[in-house]
Amino acid sequence: MGRDREAAAEGIRVVEVGSAACGARYCDNTVTNSKYTLVTFLPLNFLEQFSRPLNQYFLLIALLQFISIIAPVNPLSTILPLLLAFTLTAVKEGYDDKKRHALDAVFNNRMYDVIQHGELVQKRSRDIRVGDVVKVMQNSEIPCDLFLLKSSDPDGVAYIRTDNLDGEIDLKPRACVPVLAACDVFSVQGKLSCDPPNPRIYHFNSVLEVGGERHSVTTQQLLLQSCFLQNTEYVYGVAVYTGGDTKCGRNKESPPIKWATVDKEISRYSVRVFIFQLAIAFVMGLIGVIELAKYGDDAWYLGFHKVSAIHYIATPMRFFLLTSVMIPISFKVIIDISKYYISLAIGWDASMYDPNIDAEAGGTPAVANNTAIAEDLGQIESVLTDKTGTLTDNIMEFVACSLGGQTCGGSKTGSAHFDPTVSVFSDSANAEERFSARTDPAYTQFGLSLALCHTVSIETNADGTTRYAAASPDEEALVKAAVKMGFSLRHRTKNVTTIARTGTTGATEEHEILHVMEFDSDRKMMSILLRNRGTGVVTLYTKGADERMLPLVRGRSTDKEVETLEAHLRTFASAGLRTLVLGYRDVPADEYQAWSKKIEAAAVQPGDAREVALQKAYEEIELDLTVSGATAIEDKLQDGVPDTIATLRRANIRFWMLTGDKFETAKQISRSCGLWAEGEELLPLQLGPAASMSEDQLLSKLYHDLTAAAAAVAARKRPPAAGERDPGARVLSPYGTFAPVVHGEASYAELPSQAHGPANQSTSSSTSSVSLKDFSEVTNRKPTASSSSDRSDTISGSGLACAGHVLIVEGRAVQLLLDTYYEQFRALCNSVNSVVCCRVTPGQKASLTAMAKSGETPHPDFTGNARNSQEDALARLGDFQSLEGAGKRACPGAALPGCCKRGPKAAPPRRVLSIGDGGNDVSMIQEATIGVGIVGKEGRQASRAADYSIARFRFLKPLLLVHGQYSYQRSCYIAQYCFYKSMLLAFIQIIFNWFATFSGVSYWNSLLLTAWNGAFTLPAPFLYVLDRCAPRERLMESPELYKAAQSGEALTGDTFAMCLLLGVFHGMTSLLVTLIVFNGDSVSHAGDPMDFNSIFTVTYTALIMIQAWIVVLDSHTLTVPNLLGIFLMPPFYLAFVAAYGAQKWSDYYGVGTRLFNDPAVWLTVIVITVALFAPYMFVKSYYLNYNPTPMQLAYLRGAGHPTLTSHGKPVYHNVQSAEAATVLHDSHEIATIEGNSQTGSC
């Protein structure tokens, strides 16, 4: 009991096997994924909807309409549209939640066998409690998190499929604690002390007490909820976590809320419209009170006798309600529907469908998991990508190895050149010579390392064949290579692994598995401790990254052997191959006995203390290794990766590659995939061997390299004179640092090892780089004509400036830069064409993504034109004179958001896209503006956590260039058009009150006012979701067109203001023409006086007609649904007016008949329509002919109008501009379009 109290005080959960009292302390196993119940649905849903400021505004308007003294129109004119919008949203939410309820019911009511009072009884899944012993049959879903007690397998092994949890389809082995392998599950007793409920799927540090002994329990004994039992007849397990306490339940966190940039802009403009509305209401209300005081006594028949204090409140409020239509309630509904359609269109896109991935399910289409941010796909500025499985196929092939001081593979017979396309097994002559009869110790230990040091299991397929099941493709490739080298894995259990020597002896060896030290991203290595059952020798086999392994093998290797190995590793990495170093050592029996006691003690430590103790124990045995060799594995690029990157770079999108590979591998891959293009200079930031340098020396070196990189970027601003040292041109010295280049010769100079930043700047001025202060002066210098012309040179077809740079940073340098030189590092990254970061951890990936989002520096103009804003931003790379020394950290938390040392207030976030395929990419995917997951061999964790899921990297091109631009253009137009047509009605109300002595009377009938946004003008913007701003082929062929959406040209303050002004102009013109033709003395064709309802209907009819023509003129694509929705609306409106005017109960009675029979009415409608449409069409035609946008030109060329001319010349070559050149490619023809590419349309 004392130990239980201690555990409770530490927050440790104590599970008593088979104890009902234990289960009563914790929640039951009810799984709830739904949001609502029948009782809470309406209040919770409406509370969610009214939590949005825009909905609160509409609710306020609706409530104020019920105050009769200030309500200018019937309250239903606001209530009905509001209820319609809310009802549609509620119905959608309710339908989605009903499906979640149905899935929950299936899971909660599933029956399982549970041991109670010594016998099996049936229980619903929801009734299982902590401590219950549950029996799970083969192919059944695990009902809760179970501690594995017993398995039908004699060795106590069970296999689970975890694809519901992490997307990985390979079976995962689980094994019961050896002491329980032969236990009687009906009578077993014990206590399991484990962590409190937490979301860490791969963490379960627990201790089992049975018979007075303590045993270590890890994730190898944990069966997680939502997984399926496979290849095992049955298992018994103790319920450890149930219901919402399971690890699956704890991971059900709401994804981060992401808000599209277009939505943010519309909200910002809505606030401005609201302020304008308040100002109008106040001014006109004040004038109304003055007018009332002036004429109130004479207008006694209106019920006003004297102005009181209430009028100073009521009159402005009346005008506030009168103009409330300025902010339309319909636009949000229409945009949401448009976004939903975009998500469907992405899934329907056959060009983003891969039939090979998940072929059994019919292939893999693209999936939009988040429908709220589709517009941001058209405004991406940077793409941060993982490498393995994202840029590559994640299909590993063993190509070469370093064995006995020589390389095997990578070259043909008689050739000294290393060729990664030549596998060690493809050269049959050499392969036979090397592997047929080799028995030397070096070769044997290398083969044993490949065949034994892994966690690969053997699975039996339905047809009786076997296959290797590995946690990673690398391990599978190594084991298969071992087979070809004569070391075949035949059998593996949790305790024994069996291999066969298929070469000379054909002998079979059994090795007892004593301990496995698994790989993780921090250790970057794994080890396995084995005992040969034939000889009794205990051997440690280790493999890992070279930076972790080389220090461990130096003690038993000569300097020459290590240098040779390092040279081989550089050769492999330079060819883009993934490398691992293998090592081993025999462990004496007494050392193993002492170490096993330490590992047992560490394994029963509680909580996080176990991890610390285990790591310390691992370090004590993983030392003094003998190197057995190194491996080189090729992971080929996916089809279309170089073309996709090159195309998107032409679209002004910068690329970052974040990978765990070593420096040389990352450099080579960046070249092969197109991140490092011809003509671009490489700027490496690499710390070198940390063992020989102090922290101050590392920071000093990093400072100088960062300074040199900044100077290299700045020096491209001006060409050097003949014989002048070019501070921008750099070559790498043998020490990996920068050295200056004098024209005509290159000199190497190592940076001073003891220099401390700016304080010692003078000591290295002759051999080191230009200071960042000089860099700032260069970047702030006004460009000359010659330099501008130099910069305008472009690489044909690439869209990238010849003066571009590629920054490549090693993982340790990344962390120091984030901690110490955050602002300078960010500015440098934003001033180069591509960034490559190698040896980075998942946490660093997320930090780099956050930094890319917060970048202040605008993009370099990839057409070669230096913008002034970029020059100013480049200067912000900073003057390190403000630092107290490169060896002193500015702030350890500088990489964290909100750090006090971060500097000035950050600029608005930039739009970045992160793409990856594995669980280690989830953090950067969720951090990015848009996260894209690749469905690959590392499971579906990334695709499930992402906003969009695709099967191949090349699908990123249509996702951004086509769907992104379509979505952005559509949403921008729909939002601005909705504000235009609402401002149209609102301003007519304002102008009409000038003629009505500011009385606050409405010009419109309440029903027709409601029907304006709710019916008559709804189909046109709704069907605009089918519009295409340019043909798909043109968008793919001319990625430069993406720059218009990227810079936000379709929705700016100017375009939004132009739409509002167009509404003001149309409102004023239509009202004034109507009032001029039909004044107070006008009569109809039948001789009846024109009443108020008849007069406003004339204006209303003209506005209905003009809306059809406006949408037609603004549409790029007119489909059958578009045409029907646009041109069937006027007849429908006229039928509505006729039906409404025939109702005797209405004050609108007779209006339809009176107007339809009056030629003057139709003539007035035609005049108003022409007066409104003609100027708009003239302006549009003028810009189309004399100053078209690149998008308009692309559409016209795609639509078959290549001969459109201006003054007798092709318009493509006659458009003048004051802006940067935009390259539009068409069948090898490069047409430079320079011009004011921004024209607003509503």
Side-chain angles (χ1 to χ4, degrees), residues 189-227:
Q189 292 183 348
K191 290 183 179 180
L192 184 69
S193 301
C194 53
D195 297 331
N198 63 79
R200 294 184 289 179
I201 296 175
Y202 305 108
H203 182 90
F204 186 61
N205 290 337
S206 304
V207 177
L208 174 68
E209 294 185 40
V210 177
E213 296 183 355
R214 292 162 60 87
H215 304 272
S216 172
V217 176
T218 67
T219 52
Q220 288 300 307
Q221 287 79 44
L222 187 64
L223 308 178
L224 295 176
Q225 184 193 61
S226 80
C227 298

Side-chain angles (χ1 to χ4, degrees), residues 306-605:
K306 185 182 295 185
V307 173
S308 61
I310 192 65
H311 291 103
Y312 286 95
I313 299 176
T315 307
M317 291 298 294
R318 186 177 182 86
F319 276 102
F320 177 73
L321 296 179
L322 197 68
T323 57
S324 62
V325 73
M326 281 186 181
I327 302 178
I329 193 174
S330 60
F331 88 93
K332 185 60 179 172
V333 176
I334 298 173
I335 287 182
D336 287 344
I337 294 174
S338 173
K339 292 180 178 182
Y340 181 70
Y341 170 78
I342 285 289
S343 69
L344 294 178
I346 290 174
W348 294 335
D349 192 340
S351 69
M352 295 195 295
Y353 170 79
D354 192 318
N356 299 318
I357 297 181
D358 201 6
E360 295 180 357
T364 302
V367 178
N369 298 321
N370 187 346
T371 62
I373 55 175
E375 299 89 348
D376 280 344
L377 288 171
Q379 295 190 280
I380 295 300
E381 299 171 84
S382 297
V383 170
L384 289 86
T385 177
D386 176 44
K387 182 189 78 70
T388 304
T390 304
L391 298 178
T392 64
D393 272 321
N394 208 7
I395 299 176
M396 308 298 178
E397 180 184 355
F398 190 97
V399 173
C401 61
S402 173
L403 178 58
Q406 296 181 344
T407 59
C408 302
S411 61
K412 298 179 180 179
T413 304
S415 173
H417 175 69
F418 186 84
D419 183 0
T421 63
V422 180
S423 169
V424 65
F425 304 114
S426 62
D427 190 346
S428 58
N430 287 344
E432 182 178 357
E433 178 184 347
R434 290 175 182 137
F435 304 133
S436 61
R438 290 193 61 171
T439 58
D440 55 285
Y443 175 78
T444 300
Q445 290 299 334
F446 182 81
L448 289 174
S449 295
L450 294 180
L452 295 173
C453 187
H454 55 76
T455 58
V456 175
S457 61
I458 301 177
E459 293 182 2
T460 302
N461 300 319
D463 58 1
T465 59
T466 60
R467 72 180 187 92
Y468 292 132
S472 70
D474 301 73
E475 285 207 327
E476 183 179 355
L478 293 176
V479 173
K480 289 182 176 179
V483 173
K484 295 179 180 180
M485 297 178 71
F487 299 84
S488 177
L489 177 65
R490 293 295 177 85
H491 183 67
R492 182 184 172 98
T493 67
K494 68 172 184 177
N495 298 320
V496 178
T497 181
T498 303
I499 63 171
R501 292 292 302 270
T502 58
T504 56
T505 64
T508 299
E509 298 180 5
E510 284 191 355
H511 296 263
E512 181 182 352
I513 301 175
L514 302 177
H515 199 86
V516 177
M517 291 156 269
E518 295 186 355
F519 175 90
D520 62 51
S521 57
D522 294 324
R523 279 167 40 81
K524 296 183 179 179
M525 57 189 295
M526 78 152 291
S527 298
I528 187 168
L529 204 58
L530 302 167
R531 177 185 285 116
N532 189 315
R533 286 188 170 180
T535 63
V537 176
V538 176
T539 306
L540 175 75
Y541 292 99
T542 304
K543 65 182 179 184
D546 57 308
E547 72 266 23
R548 292 300 309 274
M549 291 292 295
L550 290 178
L552 302 180
V553 301
R554 290 184 184 275
R556 295 197 176 188
S557 304
T558 65
D559 291 342
K560 183 178 180 180
E561 289 174 339
V562 174
E563 290 174 1
T564 301
L565 179 62
E566 289 179 327
H568 292 169
L569 290 171
R570 285 194 297 269
T571 300
F572 297 154
S574 298
L577 303 179
R578 298 162 60 91
T579 59
L580 285 175
V581 176
L582 310 179
Y584 73 97
R585 79 178 179 99
D586 293 335
V587 180
D590 55 345
E591 180 185 352
Y592 168 70
Q593 292 298 330
W595 181 83
S596 63
K597 293 179 181 179
K598 293 181 180 179
I599 203 70
E600 288 174 2
V604 295
Q605 291 290 323

Side-chain angles (χ1 to χ4, degrees), residues 706-913:
L706 183 62
T707 305
V713 174
R716 294 288 187 176
K717 296 291 181 180
R718 59 178 178 84
E724 178 189 359
R725 172 177 293 167
D726 183 356
R730 289 292 184 272
V731 295
L732 287 177
S733 73
Y735 306 96
T737 58
F738 288 101
V741 175
V742 178
H743 279 262
E745 61 174 310
S747 61
Y748 295 94
E750 182 183 5
L751 292 172
S753 60
Q754 301 297 328
H756 279 255
N760 294 335
Q761 187 71 35
S762 60
T763 64
S764 58
S765 59
S766 62
T767 59
S768 185
S769 58
V770 176
S771 72
L772 289 183
K773 183 176 181 180
D774 298 332
F775 170 72
S776 299
E777 294 173 354
V778 172
T779 54
N780 285 323
R781 187 174 300 151
K782 297 296 181 183
T784 62
S786 60
S787 63
S788 297
S789 63
D790 291 339
R791 285 192 304 270
S792 64
D793 294 336
T794 58
I795 301 172
S796 177
S798 72
L800 292 175
C802 289
H805 296 81
V806 175
L807 182 67
I808 179 168
V809 192
E810 182 261 339
R812 290 175 302 146
V814 167
Q815 194 59 53
L816 287 176
L817 289 167
L818 290 173
D819 289 345
T820 309
Y821 302 134
Y822 183 91
E823 295 292 344
Q824 291 75 18
F825 180 46
R826 179 177 65 177
L828 179 61
C829 289
N830 290 331
S831 304
V832 297
N833 291 343
S834 301
V835 180
V836 178
C837 298
C838 55
R839 293 300 195 200
V840 291
T841 64
Q844 289 176 335
K845 287 183 178 182
S847 298
L848 290 167
T849 304
M851 186 184 75
K853 282 173 58 179
S854 64
E856 296 178 346
T857 309
H859 276 301
D861 183 355
F862 285 167
T863 58
N865 297 277
R867 300 176 180 177
N868 292 334
S869 58
Q870 185 197 358
E871 294 176 358
D872 296 338
L874 285 174
R876 288 201 298 273
L877 271 170
D879 182 359
F880 274 92
Q881 307 299 332
S882 62
L883 297 179
E884 297 179 5
K888 178 180 285 188
R889 295 173 183 260
C891 174
L896 302 176
C899 175
C900 61
K901 300 295 185 181
R902 179 64 62 84
K905 183 178 180 180
R910 302 171 67 178
R911 294 170 295 274
V912 303
L913 181 148

